Amino acid sequence: MTKHIIGFYFAGGKELTHEVEGNEDTTQLISNIQKHRFYNMVKNDAHYVVDTEKAAYFSVTEVNE
């Protein structure tokens, strides 16, 4: 399993990030985010639906432990 931090960044300096663990590599995660307008994520006890078209940009960073 590989860990990644996915971050969405919006106008005005707002950002939303979370950590995911799975079998996808960084390229696959980027491709999946680009294919879908909405991205579902859970951070702590909150569930978010991110409109990827409203984000200024997003990032996917592999976490090496």
Side-chain angles (χ1 to χ4, degrees), residues 12-60:
K14 303 287 184 188
E15 66 180 69
L16 186 60
T17 63
H18 79 133
E19 188 174 292
V20 296
E21 190 170 344
N23 294 321
E24 295 178 306
D25 66 21
T26 304
T27 303
Q28 289 170 318
L29 283 172
I30 291 169
S31 179
N32 286 339
I33 292 169
Q34 289 174 323
K35 287 179 188 175
H36 302 285
R37 177 170 178 184
F38 297 103
Y39 179 82
N40 297 310
M41 64 185 277
V42 177
K43 183 172 183 174
N44 302 321
D45 292 331
H47 293 259
Y48 298 89
V49 178
V50 178
D51 184 339
T52 62
E53 291 182 0
K54 294 192 177 187
Y57 66 96
F58 69 90
S59 66
V60 177

